[in-house]
Coordinates of all heavy atoms in Angstrom, one line a residue:
M1 N -8.5 11.3 -6.8 CA -8.5 10.6 -5.5 C -8.0 9.1 -5.7 O -8.4 8.5 -6.7 CB -9.9 10.6 -4.9 CG -10.0 10.0 -3.5 SD -11.7 9.9 -2.9 CE -11.4 9.8 -1.2
Q2 N -7.2 8.7 -4.8 CA -6.6 7.4 -5.0 C -7.5 6.3 -4.3 O -8.1 6.6 -3.3 CB -5.3 7.3 -4.3 CG -4.2 8.1 -5.1 CD -3.8 7.4 -6.3 OE1 -3.5 6.3 -6.3 NE2 -3.9 8.1 -7.4
K3 N -7.5 5.1 -4.9 CA -8.2 4.0 -4.2 C -7.5 3.5 -3.0 O -8.0 3.1 -2.0 CB -8.4 2.9 -5.2 CG -9.4 3.3 -6.3 CD -9.8 2.1 -7.2 CE -10.8 2.5 -8.2 NZ -11.2 1.4 -9.0
V4 N -6.1 3.6 -3.2 CA -5.3 3.1 -2.1 C -4.6 4.4 -1.5 O -4.0 5.2 -2.2 CB -4.2 2.1 -2.5 CG1 -3.3 1.8 -1.4 CG2 -4.9 0.9 -3.1
R5 N -4.8 4.5 -0.2 CA -4.2 5.7 0.5 C -3.3 5.3 1.6 O -3.4 4.3 2.2 CB -5.3 6.6 1.0 CG -6.3 7.0 -0.1 CD -7.4 7.8 0.4 NE -7.0 9.1 0.8 CZ -7.9 10.0 1.3 NH1 -9.1 9.7 1.5 NH2 -7.5 11.3 1.5
K6 N -2.4 6.3 1.9 CA -1.5 6.1 3.0 C -2.2 5.7 4.3 O -3.2 6.4 4.6 CB -0.6 7.3 3.2 CG 0.4 7.2 4.3 CD 1.2 8.5 4.3 CE 2.1 8.5 5.5 NZ 2.8 9.8 5.7
G7 N -1.8 4.7 5.0 CA -2.4 4.4 6.3 C -3.5 3.3 6.2 O -3.9 2.7 7.2
D8 N -3.9 3.0 4.9 CA -4.8 1.9 4.7 C -4.2 0.5 5.1 O -2.9 0.4 5.0 CB -5.1 1.8 3.2 CG -6.1 2.8 2.7 OD1 -6.7 3.5 3.6 OD2 -6.3 2.9 1.5
R9 N -5.0 -0.4 5.4 CA -4.6 -1.8 5.5 C -4.9 -2.4 4.2 O -6.0 -2.3 3.6 CB -5.3 -2.5 6.6 CG -4.5 -2.5 7.9 CD -5.3 -2.8 9.1 NE -6.1 -4.0 9.0 CZ -5.6 -5.3 9.3 NH1 -4.4 -5.4 9.7 NH2 -6.4 -6.3 9.1
V10 N -3.9 -3.1 3.6 CA -4.2 -3.7 2.3 C -3.7 -5.2 2.3 O -2.9 -5.6 3.1 CB -3.4 -3.0 1.1 CG1 -4.0 -1.6 0.9 CG2 -1.9 -2.9 1.5
K11 N -4.4 -5.9 1.4 CA -4.0 -7.3 1.3 C -3.4 -7.6 -0.1 O -3.9 -7.1 -1.1 CB -5.2 -8.2 1.5 CG -4.9 -9.7 1.4 CD -6.1 -10.5 1.9 CE -5.7 -12.0 2.0 NZ -6.8 -12.9 2.4
V12 N -2.3 -8.3 -0.1 CA -1.7 -8.6 -1.4 C -2.4 -9.8 -2.1 O -2.6 -10.8 -1.4 CB -0.2 -9.0 -1.2 CG1 0.5 -9.3 -2.5 CG2 0.5 -7.9 -0.4
V13 N -2.8 -9.6 -3.3 CA -3.7 -10.6 -3.9 C -2.9 -11.4 -5.0 O -3.5 -12.4 -5.6 CB -5.0 -10.0 -4.5 CG1 -5.9 -9.6 -3.4 CG2 -4.7 -8.9 -5.5
S14 N -1.7 -11.0 -5.4 CA -0.9 -11.8 -6.3 C 0.5 -11.6 -6.1 O 1.0 -10.7 -5.3 CB -1.3 -11.5 -7.7 OG -0.9 -10.2 -8.1
G15 N 1.3 -12.5 -6.7 CA 2.8 -12.4 -6.5 C 3.3 -13.2 -5.3 O 2.5 -13.9 -4.7
E16 N 4.5 -13.0 -5.1 CA 5.2 -13.8 -4.0 C 4.6 -13.6 -2.6 O 4.6 -14.4 -1.8 CB 6.7 -13.3 -3.9 CG 7.6 -14.3 -4.6 CD 9.0 -13.8 -4.5 OE1 9.5 -13.6 -3.4 OE2 9.7 -13.6 -5.6
D17 N 4.1 -12.4 -2.4 CA 3.6 -12.0 -1.1 C 2.1 -12.2 -0.9 O 1.5 -11.6 0.0 CB 4.0 -10.6 -0.7 CG 5.5 -10.5 -0.4 OD1 6.0 -11.4 0.2 OD2 6.1 -9.5 -0.8
R18 N 1.5 -13.0 -1.9 CA 0.1 -13.1 -1.8 C -0.4 -13.6 -0.5 O 0.2 -14.4 0.2 CB -0.3 -14.2 -2.9 CG -1.8 -14.4 -2.9 CD -2.3 -15.2 -4.0 NE -1.3 -16.0 -4.7 CZ -1.5 -16.6 -5.8 NH1 -2.6 -16.5 -6.5 NH2 -0.6 -17.4 -6.4
G19 N -1.5 -12.9 0.0 CA -2.0 -13.3 1.3 C -1.6 -12.4 2.4 O -2.2 -12.3 3.5
K20 N -0.5 -11.7 2.2 CA 0.1 -10.8 3.3 C -0.8 -9.6 3.4 O -1.3 -9.0 2.5 CB 1.5 -10.4 3.0 CG 2.5 -11.4 3.4 CD 3.9 -10.7 3.3 CE 5.0 -11.7 3.5 NZ 6.3 -11.2 3.3
I21 N -0.9 -9.1 4.7 CA -1.7 -7.9 4.9 C -0.7 -6.9 5.6 O 0.1 -7.3 6.5 CB -2.9 -8.2 5.9 CG1 -3.9 -9.0 5.1 CG2 -3.5 -6.8 6.4 CD1 -5.2 -9.3 5.9
G22 N -0.7 -5.7 5.1 CA 0.2 -4.7 5.7 C -0.4 -3.3 5.6 O -1.5 -3.1 5.0
K23 N 0.3 -2.4 6.2 CA -0.2 -1.0 6.2 C 0.6 -0.2 5.1 O 1.8 -0.4 4.9 CB 0.2 -0.4 7.6 CG -0.6 0.9 7.9 CD -0.4 1.4 9.3 CE 0.8 2.4 9.3 NZ 1.0 2.9 10.6
V24 N -0.2 0.6 4.4 CA 0.4 1.4 3.4 C 1.2 2.5 4.0 O 0.7 3.3 4.7 CB -0.7 2.0 2.4 CG1 -0.1 2.9 1.4 CG2 -1.5 0.9 1.8
L25 N 2.5 2.5 3.6 CA 3.4 3.5 4.2 C 3.5 4.7 3.3 O 3.7 5.9 3.8 CB 4.8 2.9 4.3 CG 5.0 1.7 5.2 CD1 6.4 1.1 5.1 CD2 4.6 2.0 6.6
R26 N 3.3 4.5 2.0 CA 3.5 5.6 1.0 C 2.8 5.2 -0.3 O 2.9 4.0 -0.6 CB 5.0 5.8 0.8 CG 5.3 7.3 0.5 CD 6.7 7.5 0.4 NE 6.9 8.6 -0.6 CZ 8.1 9.0 -1.1 NH1 9.2 8.4 -0.8 NH2 8.1 10.0 -1.9
V27 N 2.3 6.1 -1.0 CA 1.7 5.8 -2.3 C 2.4 6.6 -3.4 O 2.7 7.8 -3.1 CB 0.2 6.1 -2.4 CG1 -0.4 5.7 -3.7 CG2 -0.6 5.3 -1.3
F28 N 2.7 6.0 -4.5 CA 3.4 6.7 -5.6 C 2.4 6.7 -6.8 O 2.4 5.9 -7.6 CB 4.7 6.0 -6.0 CG 5.6 5.8 -4.9 CD1 5.6 4.6 -4.2 CD2 6.6 6.7 -4.6 CE1 6.5 4.4 -3.1 CE2 7.5 6.5 -3.5 CZ 7.4 5.4 -2.8
P29 N 1.5 7.8 -6.8 CA 0.4 7.8 -7.8 C 0.9 7.7 -9.2 O 0.3 7.0 -10.0 CB -0.3 9.1 -7.5 CG 0.1 9.5 -6.1 CD 1.5 8.9 -5.9
D30 N 2.0 8.4 -9.5 CA 2.4 8.5 -10.9 C 3.0 7.1 -11.3 O 3.1 6.9 -12.5 CB 3.4 9.6 -11.1 CG 4.5 9.7 -10.0 OD1 4.3 9.2 -8.9 OD2 5.6 10.2 -10.3
R31 N 3.5 6.3 -10.4 CA 4.0 5.0 -10.8 C 3.0 3.9 -10.5 O 3.3 2.8 -10.9 CB 5.3 4.7 -9.9 CG 6.4 5.7 -10.3 CD 7.5 5.7 -9.2 NE 8.2 4.4 -9.0 CZ 8.9 4.1 -8.0 NH1 9.1 4.9 -7.0 NH2 9.5 2.9 -7.9
G32 N 1.9 4.3 -9.9 CA 0.8 3.3 -9.7 C 1.3 2.2 -8.7 O 0.9 1.1 -8.7
R33 N 2.1 2.7 -7.8 CA 2.6 1.7 -6.8 C 2.5 2.2 -5.4 O 2.3 3.4 -5.2 CB 4.1 1.4 -7.1 CG 4.3 0.6 -8.3 CD 5.8 0.5 -8.7 NE 5.9 -0.4 -9.8 CZ 6.1 -1.7 -9.8 NH1 6.2 -2.3 -8.7 NH2 6.2 -2.4 -10.9
A34 N 2.6 1.3 -4.4 CA 2.6 1.7 -3.0 C 3.6 0.9 -2.2 O 4.0 -0.2 -2.6 CB 1.2 1.4 -2.4
L35 N 4.1 1.6 -1.2 CA 5.0 0.9 -0.3 C 4.2 0.4 0.9 O 3.5 1.1 1.5 CB 6.0 2.0 0.2 CG 7.4 1.5 0.7 CD1 8.1 0.8 -0.4 CD2 8.2 2.7 1.2
V36 N 4.3 -0.9 1.1 CA 3.5 -1.6 2.1 C 4.4 -2.2 3.1 O 5.3 -3.0 2.8 CB 2.5 -2.6 1.5 CG1 1.6 -3.2 2.6 CG2 1.7 -2.0 0.4
E37 N 4.1 -2.0 4.4 CA 4.9 -2.5 5.5 C 5.0 -4.0 5.4 O 4.0 -4.7 5.4 CB 4.2 -2.1 6.8 CG 5.1 -2.2 8.0 CD 4.3 -1.5 9.2 OE1 3.2 -1.8 9.5 OE2 5.0 -0.7 9.9
G38 N 6.2 -4.5 5.4 CA 6.4 -6.0 5.4 C 6.2 -6.7 4.1 O 6.2 -7.9 4.1
V39 N 5.9 -6.0 3.0 CA 5.5 -6.6 1.8 C 6.6 -6.2 0.7 O 7.0 -5.1 0.6 CB 4.1 -6.1 1.3 CG1 3.8 -6.5 -0.1 CG2 3.1 -6.7 2.2
N40 N 6.9 -7.2 -0.1 CA 7.8 -7.0 -1.2 C 9.2 -6.6 -0.7 O 9.8 -5.6 -1.1 CB 7.3 -6.0 -2.2 CG 7.9 -6.1 -3.6 OD1 8.4 -7.2 -3.9 ND2 7.9 -5.1 -4.4
I41 N 9.7 -7.4 0.2 CA 11.0 -7.1 0.9 C 12.1 -7.4 -0.1 O 12.1 -8.5 -0.7 CB 11.2 -7.9 2.1 CG1 10.1 -7.6 3.2 CG2 12.6 -7.7 2.7 CD1 10.1 -6.2 3.8
V42 N 13.0 -6.5 -0.3 CA 14.2 -6.7 -1.2 C 15.4 -6.6 -0.3 O 15.4 -5.8 0.7 CB 14.2 -5.8 -2.4 CG1 13.1 -6.1 -3.3 CG2 14.2 -4.3 -1.9
T43 N 16.4 -7.3 -0.7 CA 17.7 -7.2 0.0 C 18.6 -6.3 -0.8 O 18.8 -6.4 -2.0 CB 18.3 -8.6 0.1 OG1 17.4 -9.5 0.6 CG2 19.6 -8.6 0.9
K44 N 19.2 -5.3 0.0 CA 20.1 -4.4 -0.7 C 21.5 -4.5 0.0 O 21.6 -4.7 1.2 CB 19.6 -3.0 -0.5 CG 18.4 -2.7 -1.4 CD 18.4 -1.2 -1.7 CE 17.4 -0.9 -2.8 NZ 17.4 0.5 -3.2
H45 N 22.4 -4.4 -0.8 CA 23.8 -4.4 -0.3 C 24.2 -3.0 -0.1 O 24.3 -2.2 -1.0 CB 24.7 -5.2 -1.3 CG 24.4 -6.6 -1.5 ND1 24.9 -7.6 -0.7 CD2 23.5 -7.2 -2.3 CE1 24.4 -8.7 -1.0 NE2 23.5 -8.5 -2.0
Q46 N 24.4 -2.7 1.2 CA 24.7 -1.3 1.5 C 26.2 -1.1 1.6 O 26.9 -1.8 2.4 CB 24.0 -1.0 2.9 CG 24.3 0.4 3.4 CD 23.5 1.4 2.6 OE1 22.3 1.4 2.4 NE2 24.3 2.3 2.0
R47 N 26.7 -0.1 0.9 CA 28.1 0.3 1.0 C 28.1 1.4 2.1 O 27.2 2.2 2.2 CB 28.6 0.8 -0.3 CG 28.8 -0.3 -1.3 CD 29.1 0.4 -2.7 NE 29.4 -0.7 -3.7 CZ 30.6 -1.2 -3.8 NH1 31.6 -0.8 -3.0 NH2 30.8 -2.2 -4.7
P48 N 29.2 1.5 2.7 CA 29.3 2.6 3.7 C 29.4 3.9 3.0 O 30.1 4.1 2.0 CB 30.7 2.3 4.4 CG 31.4 1.3 3.6 CD 30.4 0.6 2.7
T49 N 28.6 4.9 3.4 CA 28.6 6.2 2.8 C 28.8 7.2 4.0 O 29.0 6.8 5.1 CB 27.3 6.5 2.1 OG1 26.3 6.5 3.1 CG2 27.0 5.5 1.0
Q50 N 28.7 8.4 3.7 CA 28.8 9.4 4.7 C 27.7 9.4 5.7 O 27.9 9.7 6.9 CB 28.9 10.8 4.1 CG 30.3 11.1 3.5 CD 30.4 12.5 3.0 OE1 29.4 13.1 2.7 NE2 31.6 13.0 2.8
T51 N 26.5 9.0 5.3 CA 25.4 8.9 6.2 C 25.2 7.6 6.8 O 24.7 7.4 7.9 CB 24.1 9.4 5.5 OG1 24.0 8.6 4.3 CG2 24.1 10.8 5.2
V52 N 25.6 6.5 6.1 CA 25.4 5.1 6.6 C 26.8 4.6 6.9 O 27.6 4.3 6.0 CB 24.7 4.2 5.5 CG1 24.4 2.9 6.1 CG2 23.4 4.9 5.1
R53 N 27.0 4.4 8.1 CA 28.4 3.9 8.5 C 28.6 2.4 8.3 O 29.6 2.0 8.0 CB 28.7 4.4 9.9 CG 29.8 5.4 10.0 CD 30.0 5.9 11.4 NE 29.1 7.0 11.6 CZ 28.7 7.3 12.9 NH1 29.1 6.7 13.9 NH2 27.8 8.3 13.0
E54 N 27.5 1.7 8.6 CA 27.6 0.2 8.6 C 27.4 -0.4 7.3 O 26.3 -0.3 6.7 CB 26.6 -0.4 9.6 CG 26.9 -0.1 11.1 CD 28.2 -0.8 11.6 OE1 28.4 -2.0 11.3 OE2 29.0 -0.1 12.2
P55 N 28.4 -1.0 6.7 CA 28.1 -1.7 5.4 C 27.4 -3.0 5.7 O 27.3 -3.4 6.9 CB 29.5 -2.0 4.9 CG 30.4 -2.1 6.1 CD 29.7 -1.2 7.2
G56 N 26.9 -3.7 4.7 CA 26.3 -5.0 4.9 C 25.0 -5.1 4.1 O 24.7 -4.3 3.2
I57 N 24.2 -6.1 4.5 CA 23.0 -6.4 3.8 C 21.8 -5.8 4.5 O 21.7 -6.1 5.7 CB 22.8 -7.9 3.5 CG1 23.9 -8.4 2.6 CG2 21.5 -8.2 3.0 CD1 24.1 -9.9 2.5
I58 N 21.0 -5.0 3.9 CA 19.8 -4.5 4.6 C 18.6 -5.0 3.8 O 18.6 -5.1 2.6 CB 19.8 -3.0 4.7 CG1 20.0 -2.3 3.4 CG2 20.9 -2.5 5.7 CD1 19.6 -0.9 3.4
K59 N 17.5 -5.2 4.6 CA 16.2 -5.6 3.9 C 15.3 -4.4 4.0 O 15.2 -3.8 5.1 CB 15.7 -6.8 4.6 CG 16.4 -8.1 4.3 CD 15.8 -9.2 5.1 CE 16.6 -10.5 4.9 NZ 16.5 -11.1 3.6
R60 N 14.6 -4.1 2.9 CA 13.6 -3.0 3.0 C 12.5 -3.3 2.0 O 12.7 -4.1 1.0 CB 14.3 -1.7 2.7 CG 15.2 -1.7 1.5 CD 15.6 -0.3 1.1 NE 14.5 0.4 0.6 CZ 14.6 1.6 0.0 NH1 15.8 2.2 0.0 NH2 13.6 2.2 -0.5
E61 N 11.4 -2.6 2.2 CA 10.3 -2.8 1.3 C 10.5 -2.1 0.0 O 11.2 -1.0 0.0 CB 9.0 -2.1 1.9 CG 8.4 -2.9 3.1 CD 8.9 -2.3 4.4 OE1 9.8 -1.4 4.4 OE2 8.4 -2.8 5.5
A62 N 10.1 -2.7 -1.1 CA 10.1 -2.0 -2.4 C 8.6 -1.8 -2.8 O 7.7 -2.6 -2.4 CB 10.7 -2.9 -3.4
P63 N 8.4 -0.7 -3.5 CA 7.0 -0.4 -3.9 C 6.3 -1.6 -4.7 O 7.0 -2.2 -5.6 CB 7.1 0.8 -4.8 CG 8.4 1.4 -4.4 CD 9.3 0.3 -4.1
I64 N 5.1 -1.9 -4.4 CA 4.4 -3.0 -5.1 C 3.3 -2.3 -6.0 O 2.7 -1.3 -5.6 CB 3.9 -4.0 -4.1 CG1 3.2 -5.2 -4.8 CG2 2.9 -3.4 -3.1 CD1 2.9 -6.3 -3.9
H65 N 3.0 -2.9 -7.1 CA 2.0 -2.4 -8.0 C 0.6 -2.4 -7.3 O 0.2 -3.4 -6.7 CB 2.0 -3.1 -9.3 CG 1.4 -2.2 -10.4 ND1 0.1 -2.3 -10.8 CD2 1.9 -1.2 -11.1 CE1 -0.2 -1.4 -11.7 NE2 0.9 -0.8 -12.0
L66 N -0.2 -1.3 -7.5 CA -1.5 -1.3 -6.9 C -2.4 -2.4 -7.4 O -3.3 -2.8 -6.6 CB -2.1 0.1 -7.2 CG -1.4 1.3 -6.6 CD1 -2.1 2.6 -7.1 CD2 -1.4 1.3 -5.1
S67 N -2.2 -2.9 -8.5 CA -3.1 -3.9 -9.0 C -2.9 -5.2 -8.3 O -3.7 -6.1 -8.3 CB -2.9 -4.2 -10.5 OG -1.5 -4.7 -10.7
N68 N -1.8 -5.3 -7.5 CA -1.6 -6.5 -6.7 C -2.2 -6.4 -5.3 O -2.1 -7.3 -4.4 CB -0.1 -6.8 -6.5 CG 0.5 -7.2 -7.8 OD1 -0.1 -7.7 -8.7 ND2 1.8 -6.9 -7.9
L69 N -2.9 -5.2 -5.0 CA -3.4 -5.0 -3.7 C -4.9 -4.8 -3.7 O -5.5 -4.3 -4.6 CB -2.8 -3.6 -3.2 CG -1.2 -3.6 -3.1 CD1 -0.8 -2.2 -2.7 CD2 -0.7 -4.6 -2.0
K70 N -5.5 -5.2 -2.6 CA -6.9 -4.9 -2.3 C -6.9 -4.2 -0.9 O -6.2 -4.6 0.0 CB -7.7 -6.2 -2.2 CG -8.2 -6.6 -3.6 CD -9.2 -7.7 -3.4 CE -9.9 -8.0 -4.7 NZ -10.8 -9.1 -4.6
V71 N -7.7 -3.2 -0.9 CA -7.9 -2.5 0.4 C -8.7 -3.3 1.3 O -9.7 -3.9 0.9 CB -8.6 -1.1 0.2 CG1 -9.0 -0.4 1.5 CG2 -7.8 -0.2 -0.7
V72 N -8.3 -3.4 2.6 CA -9.1 -4.1 3.6 C -10.1 -3.1 4.2 O -9.7 -2.1 4.7 CB -8.2 -4.7 4.7 CG1 -9.0 -5.3 5.8 CG2 -7.2 -5.7 4.1
C73 N -11.3 -3.4 4.0 CA -12.4 -2.5 4.4 C -12.3 -2.3 6.0 O -12.3 -3.2 6.7 CB -13.7 -3.1 4.1 SG -15.1 -2.1 4.7
P74 N -12.3 -1.0 6.4 CA -12.2 -0.7 7.8 C -13.5 -1.1 8.5 O -13.5 -1.3 9.8 CB -12.0 0.8 7.9 CG -12.3 1.3 6.6 CD -12.2 0.2 5.6
E75 N -14.6 -1.3 7.8 CA -15.9 -1.6 8.4 C -16.1 -3.2 8.5 O -16.3 -3.7 9.6 CB -17.0 -1.1 7.6 CG -17.2 0.4 7.7 CD -17.6 0.8 9.2 OE1 -18.4 0.1 9.8 OE2 -17.1 1.9 9.6
C76 N -15.9 -3.9 7.4 CA -16.3 -5.3 7.4 C -15.0 -6.2 7.5 O -15.1 -7.4 7.7 CB -17.1 -5.7 6.2 SG -16.3 -5.6 4.6
G77 N -13.8 -5.6 7.3 CA -12.6 -6.3 7.4 C -12.3 -7.2 6.2 O -11.3 -8.0 6.2
A78 N -13.1 -7.1 5.1 CA -12.9 -7.9 4.0 C -12.0 -7.2 3.0 O -12.1 -6.0 2.8 CB -14.2 -8.3 3.3
P79 N -11.1 -7.9 2.3 CA -10.4 -7.3 1.2 C -11.4 -7.0 0.1 O -12.2 -7.8 -0.3 CB -9.4 -8.3 0.7 CG -9.5 -9.5 1.7 CD -10.8 -9.3 2.4
T80 N -11.4 -5.8 -0.4 CA -12.4 -5.4 -1.3 C -11.9 -4.5 -2.5 O -10.9 -3.9 -2.4 CB -13.5 -4.6 -0.6 OG1 -14.6 -4.3 -1.5 CG2 -13.0 -3.3 0.0
R81 N -12.7 -4.5 -3.5 CA -12.5 -3.5 -4.5 C -13.2 -2.2 -4.0 O -14.1 -2.2 -3.2 CB -13.1 -3.9 -5.9 CG -12.3 -5.1 -6.4 CD -12.5 -5.3 -7.9 NE -13.9 -5.6 -8.1 CZ -14.6 -5.2 -9.2 NH1 -14.0 -4.4 -10.0 NH2 -15.9 -5.5 -9.3
I82 N -12.7 -1.1 -4.6 CA -13.2 0.2 -4.1 C -14.0 0.9 -5.1 O -13.6 0.9 -6.3 CB -12.0 1.1 -3.7 CG1 -11.2 0.5 -2.5 CG2 -12.4 2.5 -3.4 CD1 -12.0 0.5 -1.2
A83 N -15.1 1.4 -4.7 CA -15.9 2.3 -5.6 C -15.8 3.7 -5.0 O -15.5 3.9 -3.9 CB -17.3 1.8 -5.7
F84 N -16.2 4.7 -5.8 CA -16.3 6.0 -5.3 C -17.7 6.5 -5.3 O -18.5 6.1 -6.1 CB -15.5 7.0 -6.2 CG -14.0 6.7 -6.1 CD1 -13.3 6.2 -7.2 CD2 -13.3 7.0 -5.0 CE1 -11.9 6.0 -7.2 CE2 -11.9 6.7 -4.9 CZ -11.3 6.3 -6.0
T85 N -18.0 7.3 -4.3 CA -19.3 7.8 -4.1 C -19.3 9.1 -3.5 O -18.2 9.5 -2.9 CB -20.2 6.8 -3.3 OG1 -21.5 7.2 -3.2 CG2 -19.6 6.7 -1.8
V86 N -20.3 9.9 -3.6 CA -20.3 11.2 -3.0 C -21.4 11.2 -1.9 O -22.5 10.9 -2.1 CB -20.7 12.3 -4.1 CG1 -20.8 13.7 -3.4 CG2 -19.6 12.3 -5.1
V87 N -20.9 11.6 -0.7 CA -21.7 11.6 0.5 C -21.7 13.0 1.0 O -20.6 13.5 1.4 CB -21.3 10.6 1.6 CG1 -22.2 10.8 2.8 CG2 -21.3 9.2 1.1
E88 N -22.8 13.7 1.1 CA -22.9 15.1 1.5 C -21.8 15.9 0.9 O -21.0 16.6 1.6 CB -22.8 15.1 3.1 CG -24.0 14.6 3.7 CD -23.9 14.3 5.2 OE1 -22.8 14.6 5.7 OE2 -24.8 13.8 5.8
R89 N -21.7 15.8 -0.4 CA -20.8 16.6 -1.3 C -19.3 16.3 -1.1 O -18.4 16.9 -1.6 CB -21.0 18.1 -1.0 CG -22.3 18.7 -1.5 CD -22.3 20.1 -1.4 NE -23.5 20.7 -1.9 CZ -23.8 22.0 -2.0 NH1 -22.8 22.8 -1.5 NH2 -24.9 22.5 -2.4
Q90 N -19.1 15.2 -0.3 CA -17.7 14.8 -0.2 C -17.5 13.5 -0.9 O -18.3 12.6 -0.8 CB -17.4 14.6 1.3 CG -16.6 15.7 1.9 CD -15.9 15.4 3.2 OE1 -16.6 14.8 4.0 NE2 -14.7 15.7 3.3
K91 N -16.4 13.5 -1.6 CA -16.1 12.2 -2.3 C -15.5 11.2 -1.3 O -14.6 11.5 -0.6 CB -15.0 12.5 -3.4 CG -15.0 11.4 -4.5 CD -14.2 11.8 -5.7 CE -14.2 10.6 -6.7 NZ -13.3 10.8 -7.8
M92 N -16.2 10.1 -1.3 CA -15.8 9.0 -0.4 C -15.5 7.8 -1.1 O -15.9 7.6 -2.3 CB -16.9 8.7 0.6 CG -17.4 9.9 1.4 SD -16.4 10.4 2.7 CE -16.9 9.2 4.0
R93 N -14.8 6.9 -0.4 CA -14.5 5.5 -1.0 C -15.6 4.6 -0.4 O -16.1 4.8 0.7 CB -13.1 5.0 -0.7 CG -12.1 5.9 -1.3 CD -10.7 5.3 -1.1 NE -10.4 5.5 0.3 CZ -9.3 4.9 0.9 NH1 -8.5 4.1 0.2 NH2 -9.0 5.1 2.2
R94 N -16.0 3.6 -1.2 CA -17.1 2.7 -0.8 C -16.6 1.3 -1.0 O -16.0 0.9 -2.0 CB -18.4 3.0 -1.6 CG -19.5 2.1 -1.1 CD -20.8 2.6 -1.7 NE -20.8 2.4 -3.1 CZ -21.1 1.2 -3.7 NH1 -21.4 0.2 -3.0 NH2 -21.1 1.1 -5.0
C95 N -16.8 0.5 0.0 CA -16.5 -0.9 0.0 C -17.5 -1.6 -0.9 O -18.7 -1.5 -0.7 CB -16.5 -1.5 1.4 SG -16.4 -3.3 1.5
K96 N -17.0 -2.4 -1.9 CA -17.9 -3.1 -2.7 C -18.5 -4.4 -2.1 O -19.4 -5.0 -2.6 CB -17.2 -3.5 -4.1 CG -17.1 -2.3 -5.0 CD -16.8 -2.7 -6.4 CE -16.7 -1.4 -7.3 NZ -16.4 -1.8 -8.7
Q97 N -17.9 -4.7 -0.9 CA -18.4 -5.9 -0.2 C -19.6 -5.5 0.6 O -20.7 -6.2 0.6 CB -17.3 -6.5 0.7 CG -16.1 -7.0 -0.1 CD -16.4 -8.3 -0.9 OE1 -17.2 -9.1 -0.4 NE2 -15.8 -8.4 -2.0
C98 N -19.4 -4.6 1.5 CA -20.5 -4.3 2.5 C -21.2 -2.9 2.3 O -22.2 -2.6 2.9 CB -19.9 -4.3 3.9 SG -18.9 -2.9 4.3
G99 N -20.6 -2.1 1.4 CA -21.3 -0.9 1.0 C -20.9 0.3 1.9 O -21.4 1.4 1.8
A100 N -20.1 0.0 2.9 CA -19.7 1.1 3.9 C -18.9 2.2 3.1 O -18.1 1.8 2.2 CB -18.8 0.5 5.0
T101 N -19.0 3.4 3.5 CA -18.2 4.5 2.9 C -17.2 4.9 4.0 O -17.4 5.0 5.2 CB -19.1 5.6 2.5 OG1 -19.9 6.1 3.6 CG2 -20.0 5.2 1.4
F102 N -16.0 5.3 3.4 CA -15.0 5.9 4.3 C -14.1 6.8 3.5 O -14.2 6.8 2.2 CB -14.2 4.8 4.9 CG -13.7 3.7 4.0 CD1 -12.5 3.7 3.4 CD2 -14.6 2.6 3.7 CE1 -12.1 2.7 2.5 CE2 -14.2 1.6 2.8 CZ -12.9 1.7 2.2
A103 N -13.4 7.6 4.1 CA -12.6 8.7 3.5 C -11.4 8.1 2.6 O -10.9 7.0 3.0 CB -12.0 9.6 4.5
Ligands
ZN201 ZN1 -16.7 -3.5 3.8

């Protein structure tokens, strides 16, 4: 089970985008990275291809390392470290700030 999951709100705690909060669009568990909306924007020079007709400069998110992220607790709204706990035989994530559990 991942600490950071798709759909989470996360806060960037280090690097250029420190302080930004965004939604997790995708997690890459094997690379230990996540794609976060509006975070770690890189500029790509797009050449025209068969699928992309318009050449030019496009901006898109690049995956950011999970160690730079903290999950924003859905209960207390604080960026927190995540613990794991078992509630009624289900593995849940637990906010280390307020103790709330969530899937
Ligand atoms: Zn909390």
